[in-house]
Structures are given as C-alpha cells and as structure tokens.
Amino acid sequence: MKNIKNMAIKIQSTNYEIEIGSILTSSFYDLITNRYQNRKKIIMVDENTHDCCLEFLITTYDSLSEAEVILIPEGEENKVMEVCLQIWSALSEFNISRRDLVINLGGGIITDMGGVIASLYKRGVNFVNIPTSLLAMVDASVGGKTGVNLDHFKNQLGVFSNPIAVFVDPSFLSTLPLSEVKNGFAEMLKHGLIADKNHWDVLKCMLPSEDIFGEKIISESILIKNQIVLSDEKEKNERKKLNFGHTVGHAIETYFMSSENTIKHGHAVAIGMLAESYLSNYKKLLSDNELKEIETTICQHFEIPDLAQVDSNVLFEIMSNDKKNFDSKIQCTLLKEIGVSLIHQEISFVEVNLSLEYLKSLKH
Amino acid sequence: MKNIKNMAIKIQSTNYEIEIGSILTSSFYDLITNRYQNRKKIIMVDENTHDCCLEFLITTYDSLSEAEVILIPEGEENKVMEVCLQIWSALSEFNISRRDLVINLGGGIITDMGGVIASLYKRGVNFVNIPTSLLAMVDASVGGKTGVNLDHFKNQLGVFSNPIAVFVDPSFLSTLPLSEVKNGFAEMLKHGLIADKNHWDVLKCMLPSEDIFGEKIISESILIKNQIVLSDEKEKNERKKLNFGHTVGHAIETYFMSSENTIKHGHAVAIGMLAESYLSNYKKLLSDNELKEIETTICQHFEIPDLAQVDSNVLFEIMSNDKKNFDSKIQCTLLKEIGVSLIHQEISFVEVNLSLEYLKSLKH
C-alpha cells in the first residue's frame, strides 16, 4: 500500500490527535510503517472486529502481516482484571517490549481494556485506538480513561492514559447492527444536552440508522467531548458534565448486569438522561417544555425497560459507590437548560425513587 | 498530639516532597489532620509493620484511630495482581472514594504494591509512602515506579505514579534485622558507584549495622536517586543508570524466586553489581584497581550464593524479558569508573556466561 495524501479531519487533544475519516488517508500508515518500523505490533480485537475488520487491516498494511492478534471475548463480564492477566502473560510470552505498539481495534470494551493492558504492561507500552463502534468513536476513545470492571462495578479499576493516536473511520460503522449504533447515538445526544444546543437540534431530527453517520456529525460530537476534556483532564470539575445521564444510567446498567436482561451502556445512559432531566425539572432547573422535548426525542429511539421489579435500595447503593461521589453523598450532573449543565448536584434517596416512578410512568 | 515545628530535611522531587527525619516533626500531622480531615484513611501494612509500626502511628495520630488497615501478606509471591484484586474488593466494600487517602507503611513490597492499588482504584486515589526498610527509603519510595510481579517476572505490571508525599523516618530502621538493612545498603552502594564517588567513599568504610544509618547519609543517597529521576522521569535515558547491577541481579533474583533459596533484592543487586563491574572491566571501561576495590567492598558484606547449578540459558532468557531491552538485545548499565556510569551497553550470551564464571571464582 502506498501512503495517500492525508485528508482526514484532525482534532488535537491533550498530547495526541484524533483523525476522523478513512483510515486509508490517515497517518496510520506512516505510524506503523515508519515510526514503528521493526517494532512488534499487537492487535486487540473482539469477536466482531476479528471477523469484520481485522482482515481488512492486515491485508491493507504489509507491516501488520506479522502482528500478534489477541482476541478478547465479548461481554462486560470479560472486561475484568482476570482476563487482563491472561493477556499480560501472552504478551510476556510473545516477548513484547515497551517499545512495541498495541493497536486496539474494536468497541469501547476493547479501547477501555486495551488501554489498561497497554498502560500497565512493563509500566506502559504505547497504544493507538481504532474505535469501530459509534459509542467508542464519540466517547470511549477520547479522553484518556481506561478501565475494567470490579465485582459488577463498572470501570472501577483503571488509569488515565492517552493513546498516541486515535483513528475514527466511520466506514467501520457499516459492520454494526442498529442497536449498537443507537448505543453511541445516546452519547451524542448527551453531548448536545450538556454543552451544545445546536448539536442537539441537529441530532433530534435524525434517525440513528447507519447511513447518516458521516464524518461531520461525528467530528462535531467528538469536538464537544474533547473541549470538555481539555479543560479538565482529570475530572476535577468541568469534565463531570460528561457524567450527565450516568448516575442513574450506570446504576440501571449495573443492576441489570447480573440479570438475564442486560442493557447496553448507551441505552442505560438514555434512560439515565430521562431520569436526570426529570430531576432537573423537579429541582426547578429545566423547564417543562424542554423536559418534554428531551422525553419525546429519547423515547422515540429508546425503549423504557421494565423497572417494576427494580429494588430502589439496591440502585441507590450502586450509586453510592460511584467514583464521582464524595462524603457519601450522591453527586450528579443536571441540566439548567438544553445545552447548559450543572455539576455537583446532590440527589437524595427520595429523589432517586421519584425518578424511577417517572420512568415507570413513561412505560405505560 | 500537637503539631511540632517542622525540622525534617526536605528533598523536592517531581511534584511532591520527600521529608527525612522524625515523622513527628514532619508535615504528616498536617496532611492527615487538615488536608485529609473527614476523609477516610487506609493504611497498608505487611506483617512486620503491622506488629512493629502500626500501633505507634495509630496511637500517635488521633485522626488515624478509625483508619482501615489492610494487611498484605509477606513475600514476593504475594506481590501479584490476584492479591491486588482482593484488596480492591475490600476498598470497594469499605466504600473508599477517590478523595480518600492511602498510607503505605512498609518496605518496598508495600510501597510498590500499595502504589499500584491506589493508582488504579477508581483511576487513582492519592497515597503517601512511609518506607520502613532501608531499601524502601533509599530506593522504592522515590521515583514514582509502582509494580507487581507477573509469572515470576518482577514488577512487570505497574504504572508511573507519584505519591503526594514521602516520609522517611530512620527510627523505623531499628525494627529491622541486619539482613534487611544490608538489602538497602546495596542500593546505596549502587548510588555511589553510578553517580557519586564521594558517597561511595563514605559507604565503603561503613558497616551496615543499624546504628550508623542517620538522616544525613540516607538523605545523600536519596538525593542522588532523586536527581537522576528528575532528569528523566520516564526512564528514557539517564534514569537507566539506576539499573546498574539489576540486569544480572534481577535475573539471579528471579531464578532463585522459584527455588527454596530465595535471595533478597539488595543481595541480588550486590551480586549483579559484581558481575556488571566485572563486565565493565572486561570491556575495558573500568580499571583493574577499581574492580578490585568494588569486589573487596561488596564481598565484605555480601555472600556469593552457590551458582554451580545455575543454568545460564535460563538466566539469559530471564534477562531477555527485561523491561529495559529492545530489539531482543540485552542492554545494561556499566561503569566507566567509580561514580561514572554508561547506559545502553549491550551484553552477549558469552559475556553473561563469563560473568557467572567470575562470580563462581569469587566463591572459592
């Protein structure tokens, strides 16, 4: 393969670039062929990217023909330290040094977990992210958070560690089922709600089917997240805005994780955004009209799960263990209006209960 | 306890201070009483510090009376991710938030492993190190390296992560047996050999018994390491000097780790320094006289282990997996003269063999 003139949209993050567009026109070729010439490459894949994306990469780039491929089994239950340990042993057997390169090719589980694996192995091997799901493109691959789950708590273990580059190629989205596209769509809606009414206004008229996700709208969404991250990399203040929908959403996701009816992250965040928009309205921040607008948009795309049997005590306990809390109080991000969010808003057990009742009312 | 005027020697490292002297006169009181007022404190101890140091801390400082204490079992075999996982589950059960404080009270295993535990839990809880062994004081607690072992390879997993403060109180050394003091003495000798002939000249006349280790000589040794770390935090070049004695030493330590005759880290480094001084002389860098001086000094304090049965192929394989290598070549630090070291020196299988023969010759 020859290097083609670089045409991708570039977004500068902390100390690396995010390139959006065809990977063929990105700097990926130069990176693996020149900067990492004679270095070993390790490609982390999940079952889906193993079948749908890996062959394209390996046959396109000569310098990947001898890459070691590591398959990480699907599912949140495998996003744990025990699986990382198996992979670290494999890297050690492959004699991978800290000058080699890890390539994370997959959705959020691969980029989160591959980030942990690379960042801890010999105190840090460089890695690049090639997110293949919409969720990983607009969310997981930007911001330097890596993580694995612990005892059913999501992303409890990890480090802040940046990839050396991120390549966002929307053509990989054609491999995804609609439910996976919606998973990322929820985070895009969130970016609009917390920080950019224009982004929200564009998205609310869209249908999250694969063909509408082009470079432009994805870039806009990444740009919003990136700006927030740049202003507060370690999540002391501003970055907490990105947690909108995640306090209730994470709890619902975690709650269902141990049941048969698991809920995808984006779906849970969409439900969480409904609950937290309701609380924003309940606390006299968000207007009735805007709550209605959010409700209509989200319910158009996301089904409310059956919450009749959900024990709100358990949900509250999960929230209490959230990384974002301190002083044992539950802290969440609420909306002042569409496009404007407020961090450090306390919510009580009674309010959690009210938001659950609200969600149940939407179901009927 | 009242706050006492701060009298400790202070060394400024990257973004934290190392205070050397009685902990009673350090800023530790202010830290736990004011900065971490109303925050939970978790004290990591090993069996030795649990019995010898913990009570002193807890009874001296009121704000530690309700601290959670986590006992990490002794031994390199417990310095592994599997044990970290148990501790993370415990932290999660204690509802520890990322605003709380981890206090690592112990030797190098506690500071290395406590660093990993704190740095990964919820993507990072602040921690302080209170090293209680000479090795941890002069080596492990300075420089931001954290780590645990993987499949008998030492410190293969970890991150660069700095404590918010280090408190070096030499009075804790009175709890140590002489073999443990020697363990740290080896690293002090190394600091002299690689970067400071004056430090070496003072140390070579000392006997490593507990009563001679005062604040001054410990401070000098820490200062040497700190200066090297400051010039190259991520170990790209200059910091590799600190690996002198560790290429052969680590391999010998790892080799014996799976046998009944385990060798302490400092002991292994002392043997490694002999081997690598020999190689420095063999490669026409170090003079015969200086090799003799190093040999006499080290052999006065450290016994050469029985290497008759050691398989040099296995030793070489362990070295090949060293974090410091690249391009599958073994890289080590050698001495040009006492106080002057050279990084990126390649050594061959034949040379490893020669150095083993040299060590065996010293035994007889």
Side-chain angles (χ1 to χ4, degrees):
Chain A
M1 210 204 104
K2 291 271 177 59
N3 199 0
I4 298 169
K5 188 168 176 291
N6 194 322
M7 304 281 285
I9 298 168
K10 290 186 182 185
I11 295 177
Q12 180 63 46
S13 195
T14 42
N15 53 354
Y16 64 97
E17 278 188 338
I18 305 152
E19 296 185 37
I20 301 126
S22 166
I23 195 164
L24 298 174
T25 63
S26 75
S27 65
F28 183 65
Y29 172 85
D30 179 58
L31 182 82
I32 55 170
T33 314
N34 301 321
R35 274 181 66 191
Y36 281 83
Q37 193 183 14
N38 301 325
R39 302 265 162 252
K40 289 181 186 153
K41 285 95 179 173
I42 306 94
I43 309 179
M44 304 277 178
V45 293
D46 56 29
E47 286 153 32
N48 186 49
T49 54
H50 178 272
D51 294 347
C52 303
C53 312
L54 182 63
E55 196 186 338
F56 163 73
L57 271 201
I58 288 179
T59 55
T60 305
Y61 299 100
D62 292 346
S63 54
L64 293 181
S65 59
E66 294 188 0
E68 305 285 359
V69 175
I70 291 183
L71 176 67
I72 298 179
E74 297 274 354
E76 289 283 340
E77 70 277 14
N78 290 308
K79 191 184 174 188
V80 290
M81 244 348 146
E82 289 83 350
V83 174
C84 293
L85 269 169
Q86 294 173 24
I87 295 168
W88 283 318
S89 289
L91 296 180
S92 193
E93 273 167 37
F94 292 150
N95 232 334
I96 302 303
S97 89
R98 58 182 172 197
R99 295 197 160 212
D100 295 329
L101 184 69
V102 169
I103 298 167
N104 296 320
L105 176 70
I109 292 182
I110 296 293
T111 55
D112 281 5
M113 196 167 165
V116 168
I117 291 165
S119 304
L120 266 81
Y121 183 73
K122 301 196 179 195
R123 293 201 193 93
V125 179
N126 280 346
F127 64 100
V128 301
N129 285 339
I130 307 177
T132 58
S133 72
L134 185 60
L135 180 61
M137 288 179 186
V138 299
D139 186 26
S141 69
V142 185
K145 283 190 183 180
T146 69
V148 294
N149 306 332
L150 172 74
D151 303 337
H152 293 292
F153 292 110
K154 285 201 68 183
N155 297 325
Q156 286 285 296
L157 302 176
V159 287
F160 284 93
S161 177
N162 288 320
I164 58 167
V166 178
F167 302 97
V168 174
D169 186 340
S171 67
F172 285 122
L173 295 177
S174 63
T175 68
L176 289 186
L178 182 60
S179 65
E180 269 299 334
V181 175
K182 279 189 177 178
N183 208 12
F185 188 62
E187 293 285 350
M188 294 173 79
L189 290 172
K190 184 195 74 180
H191 292 159
L193 287 176
I194 59 170
D196 191 334
K197 189 173 187 319
N198 288 338
H199 193 55
W200 166 263
D201 286 340
V202 174
L203 290 169
K204 77 178 182 196
C205 306
M206 278 180 151
L207 287 173
S209 62
E210 54 192 83
D211 56 355
I212 54 166
F213 287 105
E215 296 167 20
K216 187 166 176 292
I217 189 81
I218 289 174
S219 304
E220 282 169 12
S221 216
I222 292 175
L223 206 57
I224 295 169
K225 173 155 186 184
N226 190 52
Q227 278 169 341
I228 292 174
V229 168
L230 284 180
S231 69
D232 172 28
E233 206 182 344
K234 289 289 174 71
E235 199 170 327
K236 304 287 182 200
N237 290 296
E238 182 79 1
R239 186 165 176 169
K240 290 180 181 167
K241 288 183 175 176
L242 291 164
N243 296 324
F244 177 64
H246 284 64
T247 305
V248 176
H250 248 169
I252 288 177
E253 187 183 5
T254 306
Y255 188 92
F256 282 102
M257 214 190 272
S258 47
S259 79
E260 283 178 10
N261 308 309
T262 55
I263 289 186
K264 280 187 192 294
H265 177 73
H267 189 176
V269 168
I271 305 307
M273 289 195 290
L274 282 174
E276 294 171 25
S277 296
Y278 166 80
L279 290 174
S280 305
N281 176 259
Y282 177 80
K283 284 172 176 280
K284 312 255 182 270
L285 297 165
L286 189 71
S287 72
D288 293 351
N289 281 344
E290 290 203 319
L291 173 62
K292 196 75 204 159
E293 182 180 324
I294 295 169
E295 193 181 295
T296 309
T297 306
I298 292 181
C299 289
Q300 184 188 348
H301 303 299
F302 298 93
E303 200 188 339
I304 309 290
D306 186 0
L307 301 170
Q309 305 303 318
V310 168
D311 181 341
S312 55
N313 288 298
V314 176
L315 220 56
F316 197 76
E317 203 189 305
I318 300 172
M319 289 182 207
S320 302
N321 203 37
D322 197 299
K323 291 189 288 297
K324 302 178 285 293
N325 296 330
F326 54 95
D327 292 343
S328 307
K329 283 168 186 150
I330 292 179
Q331 299 266 332
C332 88
T333 296
L334 295 178
L335 297 182
K336 188 163 176 288
E337 55 190 78
I338 290 175
V340 182
S341 47
L342 299 171
I343 61 171
H344 293 158
Q345 302 295 303
E346 266 178 36
I347 55 172
S348 66
F349 180 67
V350 172
E351 288 165 341
V352 169
N353 252 328
L354 282 174
S355 71
L356 281 184
E357 291 308 315
Y358 164 74
L359 290 176
K360 287 179 198 166
S361 77
L362 293 177
K363 177 104 184 143
H364 301 295
Chain B
M1 210 203 104
K2 290 272 174 64
N3 200 0
I4 298 169
K5 189 168 176 289
N6 194 323
M7 304 281 285
I9 298 169
K10 290 186 181 184
I11 295 177
Q12 179 65 45
S13 195
T14 42
N15 54 354
Y16 64 97
E17 278 188 337
I18 304 153
E19 295 185 38
I20 301 129
S22 167
I23 195 164
L24 298 174
T25 62
S26 75
S27 66
F28 183 66
Y29 172 84
D30 179 58
L31 182 81
I32 56 172
T33 313
N34 300 321
R35 274 180 65 191
Y36 282 83
Q37 193 184 17
N38 301 326
R39 302 266 164 250
K40 289 180 187 155
K41 284 96 179 174
I42 307 95
I43 309 178
M44 304 277 179
V45 292
D46 55 29
E47 286 153 31
N48 186 50
T49 54
H50 178 272
D51 295 346
C52 302
C53 313
L54 181 63
E55 196 186 339
F56 162 73
L57 272 200
I58 289 179
T59 54
T60 306
Y61 299 100
D62 292 346
S63 54
L64 293 182
S65 60
E66 293 187 1
E68 304 285 358
V69 175
I70 292 183
L71 176 67
I72 298 179
E74 297 275 352
E76 288 283 339
E77 71 276 13
N78 290 308
K79 192 186 173 189
V80 291
M81 252 337 157
E82 289 83 350
V83 175
C84 293
L85 270 169
Q86 293 173 23
I87 295 168
W88 282 319
S89 288
L91 296 181
S92 193
E93 272 167 36
F94 292 150
N95 234 332
I96 302 304
S97 89
R98 60 182 171 197
R99 295 198 160 211
D100 295 329
L101 183 69
V102 170
I103 299 167
N104 296 320
L105 176 69
I109 292 183
I110 295 295
T111 55
D112 282 6
M113 196 166 166
V116 168
I117 291 165
S119 303
L120 266 81
Y121 183 73
K122 301 194 181 198
R123 293 198 195 94
V125 180
N126 279 348
F127 64 101
V128 301
N129 286 338
I130 306 177
T132 57
S133 73
L134 184 60
L135 180 62
M137 288 180 187
V138 298
D139 187 26
S141 68
V142 185
K145 283 189 182 178
T146 69
V148 294
N149 306 332
L150 173 74
D151 302 338
H152 292 292
F153 292 110
K154 285 201 67 184
N155 296 326
Q156 287 285 297
L157 303 175
V159 287
F160 284 93
S161 177
N162 288 319
I164 57 166
V166 178
F167 301 98
V168 174
D169 185 339
S171 67
F172 285 122
L173 295 176
S174 63
T175 68
L176 288 186
L178 183 60
S179 65
E180 270 298 334
V181 175
K182 279 189 178 180
N183 208 13
F185 188 60
E187 294 285 350
M188 294 174 79
L189 290 172
K190 186 195 74 180
H191 292 159
L193 286 175
I194 59 170
D196 190 334
K197 191 170 183 321
N198 288 338
H199 193 55
W200 166 263
D201 286 340
V202 174
L203 290 169
K204 77 178 179 195
C205 306
M206 278 181 152
L207 286 174
S209 61
E210 55 191 84
D211 56 353
I212 55 168
F213 287 105
E215 295 169 20
K216 186 165 176 293
I217 189 81
I218 290 174
S219 303
E220 282 168 13
S221 215
I222 292 175
L223 206 57
I224 295 170
K225 172 154 186 185
N226 190 52
Q227 278 170 342
I228 293 174
V229 168
L230 284 179
S231 69
D232 173 27
E233 206 182 344
K234 289 290 175 69
E235 198 171 322
K236 304 288 182 201
N237 291 296
E238 182 78 1
R239 186 166 177 170
K240 289 180 182 167
K241 288 183 175 177
L242 292 165
N243 296 324
F244 176 64
H246 284 65
T247 305
V248 177
H250 247 170
I252 288 178
E253 187 183 5
T254 306
Y255 188 92
F256 283 103
M257 213 190 272
S258 45
S259 79
E260 283 178 7
N261 308 309
T262 55
I263 289 186
K264 279 188 191 295
H265 178 72
H267 189 178
V269 168
I271 306 306
M273 289 195 291
L274 281 174
E276 295 171 25
S277 296
Y278 166 79
L279 290 175
S280 305
N281 176 258
Y282 176 81
K283 285 172 175 278
K284 311 255 182 270
L285 298 166
L286 189 69
S287 73
D288 293 351
N289 281 345
E290 291 204 317
L291 173 61
K292 196 71 204 162
E293 181 180 326
I294 294 169
E295 197 182 293
T296 310
T297 306
I298 292 181
C299 288
Q300 185 190 345
H301 303 300
F302 298 94
E303 199 188 339
I304 310 290
D306 186 1
L307 302 170
Q309 305 302 319
V310 167
D311 182 341
S312 56
N313 288 297
V314 176
L315 221 56
F316 198 76
E317 204 190 304
I318 299 172
M319 290 182 204
S320 303
N321 203 38
D322 196 299
K323 291 189 289 294
K324 302 178 284 294
N325 297 329
F326 52 95
D327 291 340
S328 307
K329 282 168 187 149
I330 293 180
Q331 301 264 332
C332 88
T333 296
L334 296 178
L335 297 183
K336 190 163 173 289
E337 55 190 78
I338 290 175
V340 182
S341 48
L342 299 170
I343 60 171
H344 294 158
Q345 303 296 303
E346 266 178 38
I347 55 171
S348 66
F349 180 66
V350 173
E351 289 165 341
V352 168
N353 253 328
L354 282 173
S355 71
L356 280 184
E357 291 308 315
Y358 164 74
L359 291 175
K360 286 178 198 167
S361 77
L362 292 177
K363 177 105 184 141
H364 301 297

